[in-house]
Amino acid sequence: MSKNRLSGLPKMDVLLARPELAGCPLPYALVRRAARQVLDDLRQALLADGEAAIPSEEVLARQVLALAHDLNRPHLRRVVNAAGVPLHTNLGRAPLSPRAAEAVRQVSAGYCTVEYDLDRGARGSRTGRIEELLKELTGAEGAFVVNNNAAAVLLMLSVLTPGLGVAISRGELVEIGGSFRVPDIMARSGATLVEVGTTNKTRLSDYAAALDSGAAQALLKVHPSNFKVVGFTQAAELPQLGELARERSVPLLCDLGSGALSAGLFPGEPTVEEAVRWADVVCFSGDKLLGGPQAGILLGKADLIARIRSDPLARALRLDKLSLAALEGTLMDWRDGMLPPAAAMLGADEAILCKQAEELAALLTPLCPCEVTESPGEAGGGSMPGVSLPGWAVALTPAEELEQFLRGWETPVIGRIHRGKLLLDVRTLLPGDEDIIAAALSRWKEGKA
Ligand SMILES: *Cc1c(COP(=O)(O)O)cnc(C)c1O
């Protein structure tokens, strides 16, 4: 290859002076960076293949502009969840309620009272208000919050059971995801795992035997989270375990996983209130059935929670001010009888979902072939395993092409392909999402014309 071809590349300054780039509102440093990359890539291409074509300056300028827009976009972006899974872990689990989102906006843009007491004009408690709300909502004596439930489990075991044998059912030695495994966390906390029962059947007498033999000095109950054992099964329930623990004066700890605040709303889920009545310490996630931000919530006996709070590990696992604001807003919603969005989606009325799907189909019919279809959903996020939620979706074709187009839209729309159709499930749509989908599909249709 001749050196001439390399020197035939447009100069950076010339490229940047082109009207497409000179008039562009993006930061100049960003456009320069994009231009350098486009020219570098072209140089590499020419070095690899001396005959490679050199695009016109206009084409290069457009490439630079596209790359600059890409670089200007955060990786973490808002998307439309049309997958029908309210607690979709890959899509950020629970969306915040308007009140919780506004609380985050308020405290993030300026200074805030995270550790300041306005009445006294002095240093204040970081989590006091949230603890009061949690106690009021659940009847717990003590409350504390940390970064997520994985942290809460680690903290609870590290403070309360180091050096102790902890009895747990073989059916509850679960992996939650992201290699968070109950046996490993227990080992890390310094506790000794004492397996009792079998995978499918564990009786109260199995726990009692572990205590009687001296192998165990504490009991742990873990919500199986993302799976369900069906068929020939038996498990000791919390009230039975609670009575056993009291009788033998040993602590009963409970990793509740999701943490359902309300009874009737989430079929098959134990409520927090019930767990708090029987267990000495209970922990659960902030962004599962509670419908708030990522957080780990610890509830229980005042003296045990006080020990947890004052452990050095608690400081390492503490929640930041943005999550505290979101959590407080979410708990205020529950207090005031308002369901956070994810909780409302989980309990959504099937007839209303069907009507919503019909309305969306009517909006989209002029834009692409579509029809209303049944779409059974699930909670996601390791909540309510095995529970199928009756729901409705709009089914679009051509599935692959539309899936890709919608995923690449400014506000990406995430659906799921089922039997050759792209399903947009209405359960998880938030106000305004229908308009985003319609805007995307009208652009798609324009592109076809
Ligand atoms: C989800 C879950 C966890 C982990 O909670 P995060 O808030 O995601 O850290 C731990 N234990 C159980 C039983 C769970 O369901």
Side-chain angles (χ1 to χ4, degrees):
M1 186 208 41
S2 66
K3 281 262 182 285
N4 292 351
R5 294 213 68 213
L6 278 185
S7 59
L9 287 177
K11 295 279 167 292
M12 180 86 148
D13 295 349
V14 175
L15 197 54
L16 288 172
R18 284 199 56 93
E20 299 90 336
L21 299 181
C24 132
L26 295 173
Y28 180 68
L30 187 69
V31 180
R32 260 186 83 87
R33 186 191 168 102
R36 187 172 302 122
Q37 190 171 329
V38 165
L39 289 175
D40 278 353
D41 289 352
L42 185 54
R43 198 169 293 118
Q44 293 305 324
L46 281 174
L47 285 171
D49 169 13
E51 304 306 311
I54 299 182
S56 70
E57 279 179 19
E58 188 192 334
V59 168
L60 286 172
R62 270 193 268 120
Q63 286 178 6
V64 171
L65 198 60
L67 179 59
H69 275 292
D70 251 15
L71 293 171
N72 193 44
R73 239 196 325 242
H75 171 73
L76 191 52
R77 287 160 69 191
R78 150 130 161 79
V79 301
V80 170
N81 177 1
V85 180
L87 299 173
H88 199 304
T89 297
N90 299 152
L91 301 183
R93 288 205 187 143
L96 295 181
S97 72
R99 180 193 263 177
E102 176 57 19
V104 172
R105 206 186 61 77
Q106 289 278 342
V107 305
S108 57
Y111 296 97
C112 64
T113 55
V114 66
E115 283 185 20
Y116 190 77
D117 185 329
L118 286 174
D119 291 335
R120 295 187 301 116
R123 181 170 180 183
S125 156
R126 193 177 172 86
T127 53
R129 174 67 197 284
I130 282 174
E131 290 163 15
E132 290 311 315
L133 279 165
L134 283 167
K135 290 193 274 186
E136 182 186 332
L137 283 164
T138 65
E141 274 178 22
F144 189 58
V145 290
V146 289
N147 184 53
N148 58 13
N149 189 37
V153 176
L154 176 65
L155 183 62
M156 171 174 79
L157 294 172
S158 302
V159 174
L160 302 178
T161 61
L164 298 187
V166 178
I168 177 170
S169 162
R170 286 198 166 85
E172 296 174 6
L173 292 172
V174 296
E175 173 177 306
I176 308 303
S179 74
F180 180 84
R181 294 175 155 191
V182 170
D184 299 346
I185 290 299
M186 229 187 228
R188 180 62 70 91
S189 75
T192 305
L193 175 68
V194 180
E195 298 180 32
V196 303
T198 61
T199 308
N200 59 328
K201 283 201 166 204
T202 303
R203 300 185 182 84
L204 189 64
S205 56
D206 295 321
Y207 291 91
L211 295 175
D212 290 341
S213 72
Q217 297 84 32
L219 305 179
L220 175 64
K221 175 117 183 123
V222 176
H223 189 290
S225 192
N226 45 16
F227 79 104
K228 202 171 182 71
V229 183
V230 294
F232 200 50
T233 68
Q234 188 175 345
E237 297 305 329
L238 271 173
Q240 296 173 281
L241 286 171
E243 276 173 10
L244 177 67
R246 276 170 210 181
E247 212 176 280
R248 311 292 168 98
S249 303
V250 298
L252 169 62
L253 310 179
C254 175
D255 172 8
L256 206 49
S258 274
L261 276 193
S262 152
L265 221 52
F266 311 114
E269 284 291 317
T271 64
V272 175
E273 211 179 330
E274 155 129 353
V276 162
R277 193 172 319 134
W278 293 107
D280 296 282
V281 177
V282 173
C283 64
F284 59 94
S285 284
D287 55 358
K288 292 186 182 172
L289 295 179
L290 189 73
Q294 178 186 306
I297 293 162
L298 289 141
L299 301 174
K301 296 272 178 307
D303 57 330
L304 299 182
I305 294 292
R307 277 173 58 197
I308 287 172
R309 181 202 315 282
S310 59
D311 191 90
L313 195 54
R315 171 64 179 80
L317 303 175
R318 84 176 182 189
L319 205 51
D320 79 297
K321 63 182 177 181
L322 304 190
S323 306
L324 286 170
L327 185 56
E328 186 178 3
T330 305
L331 294 172
M332 286 164 81
D333 279 342
W334 281 103
R335 179 198 64 189
D336 301 340
M338 291 157 69
L339 287 183
M345 288 170 184
L346 285 166
D349 182 79
E350 196 193 338
I352 292 175
L353 291 175
C354 182
K355 187 154 165 289
Q356 213 180 326
E358 279 164 3
E359 283 165 10
L360 181 59
L363 185 67
L364 303 184
T365 296
L367 306 174
C368 72
C370 68
E371 67 194 23
V372 169
T373 177
E374 272 184 90
S375 169
E378 51 178 315
S383 299
M384 299 161 63
V387 175
S388 173
L389 307 165
W392 292 86
V394 176
L396 311 180
T397 45
E400 262 87 26
E401 183 183 332
L402 284 173
E403 190 276 335
Q404 212 173 353
F405 183 85
L406 288 175
R407 185 156 43 83
W409 186 241
E410 280 159 20
T411 305
V413 178
I414 312 298
R416 71 189 156 92
I417 292 179
H418 180 68
R419 300 209 173 136
K421 305 228 157 128
L422 175 63
L423 300 194
L424 301 181
D425 192 313
V426 294
R427 179 188 302 277
T428 42
L429 297 184
L430 291 163
D433 283 355
E434 283 92 345
D435 297 334
I436 294 174
I437 296 169
L441 288 176
S442 46
R443 176 68 66 78
W444 177 76
K445 190 182 173 199
E446 273 167 40
K448 296 265 132 188

